């Protein structure tokens, strides 16, 4: 079983549009949307949910006003200012609570509940391209790296159960915990970048990350014709870092229209569709 993870150093490079096209071209690969903080692959692939699960991680304190003696020890010991004083007593601000449990330990009347924190949800769905595992992180929720791991683990299980030979992962942008959870142990990573100063800079950061974990890395430049000189510099930088450049995708206004129609680019007559097909052929050979 092979696992291709598509990532980008920054948002807006076209990562998800390219991933959706790969899902169409791969024909029945298992798909995982690990961009759980701002998932949008579902807008193109239109998944039909078959299994829906809640995601819990960490702990959340809450004060029972019927038991609370309003002594204020919880507010005194909370380092995160999560205990709010009110006219009727005290309450926990869930956006500031880190789930450390100090308030629970010091409450003299045991008025503080300490329950599993609901952080989001994850789903297993059917799409026209095959099974898809995707998720949605709750508003202001944390532990997105754990949710990413949950999505990947279930995608791997589906691939094993169905005999699928490939998992295609739409990873999150950046270099933080969710990205690390997305790429660790992957067969190949494809970095989608763009010919801008920020695109070039953030690609270098991702290259250092994949290099640190010794993951074979591929690079493609989207909208390359907006700045051909910078594109050449980006490709040279990628090759110097040990990555393989697998192609370029031209700027194409038809990509936006494809998204409006809930279609992958390769399902349309967009000129850039041929660029993506050529990149996919090179990636297939690498896999």
């Amino acid at each position: 079983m092979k696992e291709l993870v598509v990532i980008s150093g920054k948002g807006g490079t076209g990562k998800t549009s390219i991933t959706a096209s790969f899902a169409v071209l791969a024909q029945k690969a298992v798909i995982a949307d690990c961009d759980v903080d701002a998932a949008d692959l579902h807008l193109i692939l239109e998944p039909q949910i078959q299994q829906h699960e809640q995601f819990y991680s960490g702990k959340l304190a809450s004060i029972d006003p019927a038991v609370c003696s309003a002594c204020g020890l919880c507010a005194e010991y909370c380092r995160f200012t999560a205990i709010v004083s009110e006219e009727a007593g005290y309450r926990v601000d869930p956006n500031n609570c880190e789930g450390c449990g100090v308030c629970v330990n010091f409450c003299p009347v045991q008025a503080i509940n300490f329950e599993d924190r609901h952080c989001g949800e994850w789903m297993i769905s059917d799409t026209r391209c095959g099974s898809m595992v995707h998720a949605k992180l709750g508003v202001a929720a944390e532990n997105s790296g754990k949710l990413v791991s949950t999505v990947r683990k279930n995608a791997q299980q589906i691939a094993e159960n169905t005999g699928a030979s490939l998992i295609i992962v739409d990873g999150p942008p950046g270099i933080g915990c969710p990205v690390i959870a997305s790429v660790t142990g992957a067969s190949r990573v494809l970095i989608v970048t763009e010919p801008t100063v920020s695109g070039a800079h953030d690609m270098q950061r991702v290259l250092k990350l994949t290099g640190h974990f010794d993951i074979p890395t591929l690079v493609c430049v989207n909208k390359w014709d907006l700045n051909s000189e910078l594109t050449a510099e980006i490709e040279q930088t990628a090759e110097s870092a040990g990555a393989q450049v697998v192609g370029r995708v031209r700027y194409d206004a038809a990509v936006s229209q494809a998204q409006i129609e809930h279609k992958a680019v390769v399902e349309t007559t967009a000129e850039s569709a041929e660029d993506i097909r050529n990149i996919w052929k090179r990636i297939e050979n690498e896999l």
Side-chain angles (χ1 to χ4, degrees):
M1 183 195 310
K2 302 290 186 180
E3 189 172 11
L4 171 68
V5 183
V6 185
I7 59 175
S8 59
K10 61 179 288 294
T13 63
K15 167 183 60 66
T16 297
S17 295
I18 290 176
T19 303
S21 288
F22 287 171
V24 171
L25 295 171
Q27 299 181 352
K28 303 304 178 182
V30 177
I31 308 152
D33 189 350
C34 288
D35 190 2
V36 299
D37 293 87
D40 54 8
L41 187 59
H42 64 280
L43 298 176
I44 302 175
L45 299 186
E46 298 181 301
Q48 302 298 309
I49 297 175
Q50 304 300 315
Q51 181 178 339
H52 195 158
E53 303 288 345
Q54 301 303 314
F55 175 69
Y56 295 86
S57 183
K59 294 287 186 177
L60 177 64
S62 62
I63 298 174
D64 185 346
V67 180
C68 178
S69 63
C71 68
L73 281 177
C74 55
E76 179 181 344
Y77 285 112
C78 181
R79 297 182 60 188
F80 305 102
T81 62
I83 310 296
V84 180
S85 175
E86 295 182 332
E87 188 174 323
Y90 292 88
R91 68 174 178 85
V92 177
D93 181 352
N95 292 327
N96 287 339
C97 179
E98 292 289 331
C100 68
V102 168
C103 58
V104 179
N105 292 334
F106 283 94
C107 180
V109 295
Q110 299 181 334
I112 302 177
N113 300 314
F114 203 46
E115 300 176 345
D116 292 337
R117 182 192 290 262
H118 180 254
C119 295
E121 56 190 2
W122 60 273
M123 294 77 71
I124 297 176
S125 299
D126 291 334
T127 75
R128 61 185 181 277
C129 305
S131 297
M132 175 176 172
V133 187
H134 50 122
K136 181 180 180 181
L137 195 68
V139 176
E142 296 183 356
N143 296 317
S144 57
K146 291 184 178 180
L147 184 52
V148 166
S149 296
T150 299
V151 170
R152 283 187 71 194
K153 180 180 179 181
N154 281 276
Q156 291 164 357
Q157 187 63 56
I158 292 172
E160 184 177 335
N161 293 342
T162 61
S165 59
L166 178 63
I167 301 171
I168 298 176
V169 177
D170 185 16
I175 59 171
C177 177
V179 180
I180 294 171
S182 296
V183 304
T184 305
S187 306
R188 292 287 189 281
V189 165
L190 172 67
I191 300 173
V192 179
T193 187
E194 63 182 11
T196 62
V197 173
S198 58
H201 174 267
D202 291 344
M203 179 199 68
Q204 293 181 50
R205 299 170 71 213
V206 183
L207 285 170
K208 290 181 180 178
L209 177 67
T210 58
H212 174 78
F213 288 103
D214 196 26
I215 305 170
T217 304
L218 315 172
V219 172
C220 76
V221 183
N222 192 25
K223 299 171 281 190
W224 73 269
D225 45 344
L226 296 182
N227 191 330
S228 58
E229 292 182 4
L230 186 52
T231 293
E233 292 178 14
I234 287 172
E235 292 173 339
Q236 184 177 3
T237 299
E239 291 174 344
S240 298
Q244 179 181 350
V245 177
V246 291
R248 302 174 172 182
V249 181
R250 75 194 77 181
Y251 173 78
D252 191 348
V255 172
S256 297
Q257 184 59 40
Q259 293 174 332
I260 292 171
E261 297 174 1
H262 305 283
K263 293 181 179 179
V265 178
V266 296
E267 294 177 305
T268 71
T269 57
E271 293 181 355
S272 58
E274 188 60 28
D275 300 333
I276 297 174
R277 290 190 186 95
N278 290 333
I279 291 172
W280 176 246
K281 289 177 183 177
R282 295 188 183 99
I283 293 175
E284 274 192 310
N285 291 334
E286 285 296 312
L287 294 171

